């Protein structure tokens, strides 16, 4: 067994949830004229440029796999974007996959171009994405140090459900969840099952 001094626990992120059984927050209009839309492969080149990719290959693969992408343009330029999955998605930085139930969605890989940050584009984009038909619950994750993303997520109505912790020892690395106070037992069980299945973590 590893000695206590050899065990390193690190808080790496937070998982958030929004149940769409109540009205979305009002007053999330961006501070500049913006055109939000769901986009497809026809503008893969523009999206690749915004995502700082060498080409559209990864984007086309995502569309082919059934992922949806939402974005916004300002004066014709694509300035913010986010991806949505409705079945299963890898969370590479955790070495996990999230497996969604019918009526659930997972939002991931969102960004706003640096020159357009601080204009409420991100929470407005999230609100636009949440209008997908038939969705009852949405999940999203944030890194611990990404305060701007956390502020936008809170503004869009999400609540924190659980923190991600990594437990590092000389022989292994384990990811664990630490639930937030006030979150229902059912919601904690749901996020645990979505990320770990029947494994005991």
């Amino acid at each position: 067994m590893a000695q206590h001094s050899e065990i390193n626990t690190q808080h790496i992120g937070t998982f958030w949830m929004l149940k769409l059984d109540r009205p979305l927050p009002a007053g999330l209009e961006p501070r500049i004229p913006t055109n939000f839309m769901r986009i497809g492969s026809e503008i893969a080149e523009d999206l690749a440029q915004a995502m700082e990719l060498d080409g559209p290959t990864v984007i086309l693969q995502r569309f082919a796999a059934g992922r949806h992408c939402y974005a916004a343009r300002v004066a014709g330029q694509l300035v913010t974007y986010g991806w949505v999955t409705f079945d299963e998605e890898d969370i590479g930085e955790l070495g996990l996959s999230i497996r969604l139930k019918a009526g659930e969605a997972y939002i991931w890989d969102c960004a706003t171009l640096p020159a357009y940050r601080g204009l409420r584009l991100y929470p407005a984009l999230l609100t636009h994405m949440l209008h997908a038909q038939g969705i009852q619950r949405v999940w999203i994750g944030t890194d611990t140090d990404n305060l701007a993303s956390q502020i936008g997520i809170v503004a869009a109505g999400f609540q924190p459900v659980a923190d991600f912790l990594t437990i590092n020892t000389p022989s292994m690395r384990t990811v664990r969840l630490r639930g937030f106070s006030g979150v229902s037992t059912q919601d904690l069980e749901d996020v645990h099952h979505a990320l770990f299945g029947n494994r005991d973590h």
Side-chain angles (χ1 to χ4, degrees):
M1 179 179 292
Q3 298 296 316
H4 182 73
S5 60
E6 297 177 313
I7 300 174
N8 176 30
T9 302
Q10 184 179 6
H11 174 213
I12 60 172
T14 301
F15 216 58
W16 306 69
M17 175 190 69
L18 178 62
K19 292 182 179 179
L20 300 178
D21 57 357
R22 60 185 67 92
L24 295 175
L28 288 182
E29 293 300 317
R31 294 190 171 100
I32 54 176
T34 309
N35 183 25
F36 292 96
M37 70 206 81
R38 179 181 165 191
I39 60 176
S41 58
E42 70 279 358
I43 62 168
E45 293 287 351
D46 285 355
L47 185 54
Q49 183 177 355
M51 294 177 66
E52 299 182 342
L53 300 175
D54 293 334
T57 302
V58 171
I59 293 168
L60 294 174
Q61 289 172 345
R62 291 182 181 183
F63 283 133
R67 281 44 174 164
H68 291 185
C69 187
Y70 293 83
R73 291 187 184 273
V74 172
Q77 181 182 1
L78 197 154
V79 298
T80 187
Y81 61 86
W83 290 86
V84 188
T85 294
F86 301 95
D87 46 18
E88 182 175 344
E89 190 62 54
D90 291 334
I91 307 176
E93 57 269 35
L94 297 177
L96 299 172
S97 294
I98 181 168
R99 296 169 181 84
L100 303 167
K101 297 178 181 178
E104 292 185 332
Y106 172 60
I107 295 176
W108 57 289
D109 196 6
C110 302
T112 301
L113 299 190
Y116 294 88
R117 292 171 185 168
L119 299 173
R120 284 208 299 247
L121 291 171
Y122 180 50
L125 174 68
L126 290 176
T127 300
H128 181 81
M129 297 167 81
L130 295 173
H131 284 92
Q133 295 295 315
I135 300 302
Q136 287 90 47
R137 181 164 58 180
V138 184
W139 305 103
I140 192 169
T142 58
D143 293 334
T144 300
D145 57 357
N146 194 342
L147 298 181
S149 180
Q150 294 170 34
I151 290 170
I153 287 169
V154 170
F158 285 82
Q159 71 171 110
V161 177
D163 283 330
F164 287 113
L165 306 176
T166 57
I167 315 297
N168 297 295
T169 69
S171 60
M172 66 182 298
R173 173 181 181 269
T174 305
V175 177
R176 295 184 183 273
L177 294 179
R178 180 178 61 197
F180 274 76
S181 176
V183 177
S184 73
T185 300
Q186 185 61 60
D187 288 333
L188 290 173
E189 289 179 354
D190 287 348
V191 69
H192 179 283
H193 191 269
L195 293 165
F196 298 113
N198 294 322
R199 287 180 288 166
D200 183 16
H201 284 258

